[in-house]
Amino acid sequence: MLKLLPASQKAVSQILGTLLIIGNMSPTDSKLRQQLVGVAEQRLNDQEHLVRSTCIQMIADLCPLNEVGGRTSDVQKLLGDLSQDQDPRVRTSAFLAMLNLHQRGMQLNMEVYERACHALSDDYEHVRLAAVKLVWVISHVYPEWPVAAPDKKEEIRLVDDGFAKICNALNDISMKVRAEAAGLLGSLHQVSTKFLEQTLDKKLMSNMRRKAAAHERQKEQFESGEWASGNKWASDAPQELLNAESMSIINGGACGAFVHGLEDEFLEVRMAAVDSLCELAFQNPDFALKSLDFLVDMLNDEVEDVRVNAIDSLCKMSTHIVLREDQLETVLAVLEDFASEIREGLRRLLGASRLGTSACVMMCIHHLLANLTRYPQDHLSVWQCMQKIGKNHSSLVLPLVPELLTSHPYFDSTEPNMDDPAYISTLILVFNAAISCPTMIPIFHDFTVNHYFYLRDSFPDLIPQISQLSGRKTMTQASTRQTLDAAVFLQQTFERLAAYNNTDACARRSLLELTIKDLQRIKEVDVKLSAKAQALSLYIEAQLLLQKALFSQQGVEGSDFTLQQNATTSSLTERVIKLTYQIEHQFLGLSTCELALVKSLRVWAHTILMLIDVTEAQKHGTKVILCEEYLDHLKNTQAIFVGAGVKPDNFLRSVFAKLATLDAANPTVITSLVQPLILQNRPGMLSLQNHVRQVSAKIIEPCGTSDNALKFTAGLVQAVHLDALLENVVNTDCVRLKVKYPDTRTEQIIPRVTDFRKLSPLRHRLVTNVNLSHGVWTEACPVEISLILSLLDTEETSRTAAKQSEGCVELCTPVKILISPTATRKT
């Protein structure tokens, strides 16, 4: 094989790369892999660095790991020798090969660690980068292995020594090495506490210096004599003037490693340092307290992403820390930030943190209320923060209740305005604190108790249930009335609907209409059940519309079946199709059988629509085309049911069985077969056994409450800043911005991928600019901006879906903005 290799070194490198691919594609052919390893070993002395690097990669990927004998140590010794190659690219390949062997399961020996430590001072950036990774790997493999300290007089744990070596890499000249080192520090959880604490101090701590034993100090004193002889320079110098490097058990460059990382000029290094510091602090509560000041200082970083990362890190550490007043001042100063993501993250931090004193709680209240005045669109986030502060600091809120509620022991107080968001914020704080501290309830005014019942009914997710208030005589009917649990009521609704097919048409229609009203009330009362109630409400609405399209106003069935051939019936059927697409794509958690019911209801609507179109069509060719489209839709639906392993209902089973025998799309035969099936069957009802989530969006900015019109020159572009929160969105590629102008012109805008910020697996924030443009208007008119979910990329977007539902699902209520395109001024 070697004799067939050409003379060109680049060609040899490419051939060896091809052989490497062949070897990786044959994992079970051990004989071939051994031959390829032999070829690679013979070409290791080649003068071309590409050839040597490719051979090293072949050895690392193809060498066997289960051979008995010294084969494993021979491979590591070979790679260790190659790590001393004169070419830095070959040295890099050697260290990367060692990492590859570790990933394949080979046990690396301690000689590899010594070579990696020596390579940390290499002149080549990529060599140092690979060496840092290798030191990190060995520190995890042999954490308790004793190694010699830098002074060679003591032994320390290998994980401590490796941690110090990686800390020293934070002073590297290369940004990539510093960022990699800062990111690797966070996973070394077994490092000693004294090494962790040294990373926060640039000066060498006393506990990191080597202590001489008592007999060693007496021996030095005896040998030096009582007086200095003068023969030895600086023999009587003070101990503090000794070189710290000669007395330390840690490299001096590792002192204050995190301080250097957090103050680095590059964004990547600071981000990695914040992540590692948070990870280590989460594992060590004592270290968390000492690192708190450094993370709080990162809230003032010049880059927004670093500030957000610092806020998230402090939230993770919140269980181990208590904010002092000086630290709280720095945190609260960030509330004035213009970026909404920073403000919301900081409120999330305040809600998760523990405060030390009542003065800290009052300071938070004042700043949050001022923040609410400055940014009224953040009222929901402020209320949620107040809820968590009150729940977590009930004992600290107790002495503040008279001041917060403006109560006096002798004089009556004026009842505040319930429309004031600041007053609502205060009540949310107090009522959540009263759960764990019932002694504050006697301080409440009568109107405060009235306000509690009002807010409890308006915001059940923010106001808790306080059992002690049920005995107060205010609002006796509301407080003494036994309320039915929403979950129990919803379950009873499902039980009633399960037997609705046994009733006549009029009773069934009345039952469905009343059920929709009940479900709307459940959606308002219980937020956790709102998605399930909304899904069932939409499905029932679709069934009601289907009944109106099928039967006459009197609800007579059977022989009096009258399919109204008019635009009203067509619009009702198209509305049913749109609702089925909305249920299918806007709700997560529906089972396969429940999705099958939704698709079955869509087939009912398509059937009615086909009957109307065929009846109204004049030409026979048009009728045939309509029937062919209907049959194609049935075939696609049947394929979906078969692929999912779901049995269709009686209507679909009969349609599939009868239409499968047709050889051609005969309109007369198809209509005669389908019409009786519609009369003989009824759609099923959803049961919704799983937890259901609703895909939704909330536009934070713009608010849509401003009366000032945006004026710009007609024909040009006016950018409108948009900040929205997306909930339960699986794929952001389907999210679109919809702009509707007063002349009914509609535009769909695809946001950039970089405009989405992932907050959690199903939660995203969209921050972008919406470009508006139009001709000259005589006066200002509103433009509607909303978020929609596009269905064009889904598995079944038929012609009817694209036509009637416009291929999208609305995710939020449109926000109206006044704009006024003006004519160009003539100069």
Side-chain angles (χ1 to χ4, degrees):
M1 186 180 296
L2 290 176
K3 295 179 180 180
L4 298 177
L5 293 178
S8 174
Q9 302 301 325
K10 292 184 178 180
V12 172
S13 175
Q14 293 179 359
I15 292 175
L16 292 175
T18 305
L19 294 176
L20 174 60
I21 295 175
I22 295 174
N24 289 328
M25 295 176 62
S26 305
T28 58
D29 194 346
S30 58
K31 183 177 180 181
L32 174 62
R33 294 167 72 94
Q34 290 179 358
Q35 290 178 354
L36 295 177
V37 170
V39 172
E41 291 177 348
Q42 295 180 25
R43 302 290 299 191
L44 286 175
N45 296 326
D46 198 284
Q47 296 180 357
E48 180 65 26
H49 70 87
L50 287 175
V51 177
R52 299 203 300 275
S53 298
T54 308
C55 292
I56 292 174
Q57 187 178 357
M58 290 179 64
I59 293 174
D61 289 352
L62 304 179
C63 72
L65 303 178
N66 53 359
E67 288 189 1
V68 180
R71 179 64 179 174
T72 300
S73 59
D74 292 342
V75 172
Q76 296 188 31
K77 184 177 182 302
L78 176 63
L79 294 178
D81 295 338
L82 291 172
S83 65
Q84 307 297 323
D85 193 273
Q86 60 181 358
D87 195 297
R89 290 162 290 192
V90 178
R91 298 198 297 270
T92 303
S93 299
F95 285 117
L96 292 178
M98 296 179 188
L99 291 172
N100 192 6
L101 290 175
H102 168 72
Q103 293 176 356
R104 293 182 57 198
M106 181 179 290
Q107 189 81 7
L108 300 179
N109 52 41
M110 288 302 301
E111 295 180 0
V112 175
Y113 179 74
E114 297 176 359
R115 294 184 183 275
C117 293
H118 179 72
L120 290 174
S121 58
D122 196 278
D123 296 335
Y124 193 58
E125 171 188 347
H126 294 283
V127 176
R128 301 195 302 273
L129 191 63
V132 167
K133 296 179 182 179
L134 199 54
V135 170
W136 174 77
V137 167
I138 302 293
S139 299
H140 281 283
V141 176
Y142 305 101
E144 302 297 333
W145 192 278
V147 296
D151 59 0
K152 305 297 183 182
K153 296 183 179 180
E154 289 189 13
E155 288 186 347
I156 59 176
R157 300 161 64 230
L158 188 142
V159 65
D160 294 336
D161 186 68
F163 182 82
K165 295 287 195 305
I166 299 176
C167 286
N168 191 39
L170 279 172
N171 298 317
D172 196 273
I173 193 176
S174 172
M175 182 273 294
K176 295 182 180 179
V177 177
R178 297 199 303 272
E180 185 67 27
L184 294 176
L185 288 176
S187 57
L188 295 175
H189 299 162
Q190 302 182 34
V191 67
S192 302
T193 304
K194 61 180 181 180
F195 281 84
L196 283 178
E197 295 174 352
Q198 182 62 68
T199 58
L200 301 176
D201 197 341
K202 293 184 179 181
K203 295 181 180 180
L204 189 68
M205 297 181 180
S206 59
N207 61 350
M208 298 302 294
R209 298 181 181 179
R210 182 178 59 84
K211 275 73 171 182
H215 67 277
E216 293 179 350
R217 294 195 299 268
Q218 292 178 0
K219 180 180 179 181
E220 293 176 357
Q221 183 178 3
F222 175 77
E223 291 178 352
S224 62
E226 185 178 358
W227 306 97
S229 61
N231 295 330
K232 188 176 181 181
W233 175 257
S235 60
D236 57 346
Q239 185 68 21
E240 292 299 325
L241 295 181
L242 292 177
N243 186 10
E245 291 288 346
S246 63
M247 296 293 294
S248 66
I249 61 176
I250 186 175
N251 195 327
C255 298
F258 278 122
V259 180
H260 291 295
L262 296 176
E263 296 176 351
D264 197 275
E265 59 179 330
F266 287 95
L267 161 70
E268 295 82 0
V269 180
R270 298 199 301 275
M271 290 281 286
V274 169
D275 291 335
S276 295
L277 187 60
C278 169
E279 181 67 22
L280 293 173
F282 184 78
Q283 300 292 332
N284 193 329
D286 295 335
F287 183 67
L289 295 176
K290 296 181 180 180
S291 61
L292 179 59
D293 289 329
F294 298 93
L295 284 176
V296 170
D297 290 339
M298 295 306 296
L299 297 178
N300 297 321
D301 195 273
E302 59 183 0
V303 181
E304 180 181 344
D305 292 338
V306 178
R307 299 198 298 271
V308 173
N309 195 14
I311 292 173
D312 294 337
S313 299
L314 287 171
C315 290
K316 296 176 184 177
M317 298 166 46
S318 58
T319 55
H320 301 315
I321 60 177
V322 178
L323 291 177
R324 304 188 307 267
E325 291 188 23
D326 57 328
Q327 296 169 341
L328 189 60
E329 290 178 358
T330 305
V331 173
L332 293 175
V334 189
L335 274 177
E336 301 177 0
D337 198 295
F338 180 75
S340 60
E341 185 176 359
I342 298 291
R343 300 196 304 270
E344 184 175 354
L346 202 63
R347 298 188 199 103
R348 189 171 62 253
L349 170 61
L350 292 175
S353 301
R354 292 185 297 168
L355 306 178
T357 61
S358 297
C360 293
V361 176
M362 182 58 73
M363 190 186 307
C364 285
I365 295 173
H366 287 323
H367 280 78
L368 287 173
L369 294 180
N371 190 246
L372 181 62
T373 304
R374 185 172 183 179
Y375 301 102
Q377 66 272 19
D378 296 351
H379 65 277
L380 183 59
S381 177
V382 173
W383 291 350
Q384 292 174 349
C385 181
M386 288 288 197
Q387 177 192 22
K388 295 177 182 177
I389 292 177
K391 188 179 299 183
N392 298 334
H393 306 88
S394 56
S395 60
L396 300 180
V397 175
L398 177 60
L400 304 177
V401 172
E403 181 179 355
L404 294 175
L405 299 180
T406 63
S407 60
H408 194 274
Y410 306 113
F411 302 103
D412 291 336
S413 301
T414 305
E415 182 175 357
N417 184 12
M418 276 303 298
D419 295 331
D420 185 9
Y423 178 64
I424 296 177
S425 304
T426 304
L427 290 183
I428 291 175
L429 174 82
V430 173
F431 290 149
N432 281 275
I435 302 177
S436 305
C437 188
T439 54
M440 69 174 64
I441 295 179
I443 309 177
F444 294 170
H445 298 286
D446 290 340
F447 61 78
T448 304
V449 180
N450 293 340
H451 294 168
Y452 162 76
F453 289 108
Y454 172 77
L455 292 177
R456 171 64 184 167
D457 189 55
S458 302
F459 309 104
D461 55 328
L462 296 176
I463 304 298
Q465 179 71 35
I466 304 177
S467 58
Q468 290 83 353
L469 290 178
S470 60
R472 302 291 289 265
K473 294 183 179 181
T474 55
M475 295 185 67
T476 54
Q477 294 182 356
S479 60
T480 58
R481 186 176 52 198
Q482 298 294 330
T483 59
L484 187 63
D485 185 71
V488 177
F489 183 76
L490 183 62
Q491 184 61 33
Q492 294 176 356
T493 302
F494 282 118
E495 294 175 358
R496 289 197 304 269
L497 292 175
Y500 90 107
N501 280 333
N502 299 328
T503 59
D504 58 1
C506 294
R508 184 166 63 252
R509 183 179 303 174
S510 301
L511 174 63
L512 295 181
E513 291 175 352
L514 292 175
T515 304
I516 291 179
K517 296 180 181 180
D518 294 339
L519 293 174
Q520 294 298 326
R521 181 56 181 167
I522 292 176
K523 186 178 67 173
E524 297 174 358
V525 172
D526 197 329
V527 178
K528 297 180 180 179
L529 299 175
S530 61
K532 184 177 291 187
Q534 179 67 10
L536 184 59
S537 176
L538 293 176
Y539 187 82
I540 294 176
E541 181 184 354
Q543 284 201 349
L544 283 173
L545 294 175
L546 194 66
Q547 288 186 14
K548 291 181 181 178
L550 278 173
F551 308 113
S552 62
Q553 297 294 333
Q554 291 78 16
V556 181
E557 302 182 21
S559 58
D560 294 332
F561 168 75
T562 57
L563 187 62
Q564 303 175 15
Q565 302 173 11
N566 51 32
T568 303
T569 306
S570 298
S571 61
L572 291 175
T573 310
E574 292 163 359
R575 173 64 179 167
V576 173
I577 295 175
K578 183 176 181 178
L579 288 176
T580 56
Y581 276 107
Q582 182 177 354
I583 296 172
E584 181 180 357
H585 297 282
Q586 196 175 5
F587 295 93
L588 306 179
L590 299 179
S591 65
T592 308
C593 296
E594 292 163 354
L595 288 175
L597 284 176
V598 176
K599 294 178 186 294
S600 177
L601 192 63
R602 189 183 306 151
V603 173
W604 278 75
H606 277 292
T607 303
I608 297 174
L609 200 61
M610 182 269 299
L611 293 175
I612 295 175
D613 293 341
V614 169
T615 305
E616 293 180 348
Q618 301 296 331
K619 298 181 180 180
H620 180 74
T622 306
K623 296 182 179 182
V624 173
I625 294 175
L626 293 173
C627 291
E628 288 178 350
E629 292 180 355
Y630 175 71
L631 292 177
D632 290 339
H633 180 74
L634 287 180
K635 291 179 181 179
N636 295 334
T637 305
Q638 187 176 12
I640 294 174
F641 275 64
V642 173
V646 179
K647 295 182 179 180
D649 57 6
N650 295 331
F651 172 72
L652 282 184
R653 191 182 304 111
S654 302
V655 171
F656 291 157
K658 291 188 177 182
L659 297 183
T661 60
L662 296 179
D663 297 332
N666 190 332
T668 305
V669 176
I670 292 177
T671 53
S672 62
L673 290 176
V674 169
Q675 280 190 1
L677 295 178
I678 294 180
L679 296 175
Q680 297 171 5
N681 298 278
R682 292 177 182 175
M685 182 59 63
L686 290 178
S687 57
L688 299 180
Q689 300 296 330
N690 302 332
H691 176 64
V692 179
R693 297 173 179 264
Q694 183 176 1
V695 180
S696 61
K698 180 183 179 183
I699 298 178
I700 302 175
E701 294 181 9
C703 305
T705 57
S706 177
D707 295 333
N708 298 325
L710 298 176
K711 296 182 179 180
F712 60 96
T713 304
L716 299 182
V717 175
Q718 172 66 39
V720 177
H721 180 72
L722 183 133
D723 187 356
L725 188 63
L726 304 175
E727 299 285 353
N728 303 316
V729 175
V730 179
N731 185 14
T732 56
D733 295 337
C734 298
V735 177
R736 302 287 187 270
L737 290 168
K738 181 180 177 181
V739 181
K740 185 177 181 180
Y741 292 94
D743 58 355
T744 67
R745 193 186 75 180
T746 303
E747 293 180 357
Q748 290 190 14
I749 304 173
I750 303 177
R752 295 175 298 181
V753 179
T754 55
D755 293 339
F756 292 97
R757 300 182 183 180
K758 190 173 184 179
L759 306 179
S760 65
L762 295 177
R763 198 164 182 257
H764 302 79
R765 179 177 288 275
L766 175 61
V767 181
T768 185
N769 289 327
V770 182
N771 295 326
L772 305 179
S773 180
H774 211 279
V776 180
W777 294 357
T778 57
E779 60 182 9
C781 295
V783 174
E784 295 183 357
I785 300 177
S786 61
L787 287 169
I788 61 175
L789 194 67
S790 176
L791 306 181
L792 300 180
D793 298 330
T794 56
E795 58 182 351
E796 53 167 324
T797 50
S798 63
R799 174 187 62 85
T800 307
K803 175 183 176 182
Q804 309 305 334
S805 65
E806 300 179 358
C808 64
V809 173
E810 297 283 347
L811 297 182
C812 64
T813 304
V815 175
K816 295 183 179 181
I817 301 175
L818 289 176
I819 65 173
S820 178
T822 58
T824 306
R825 295 182 180 180
K826 297 181 179 180
T827 57

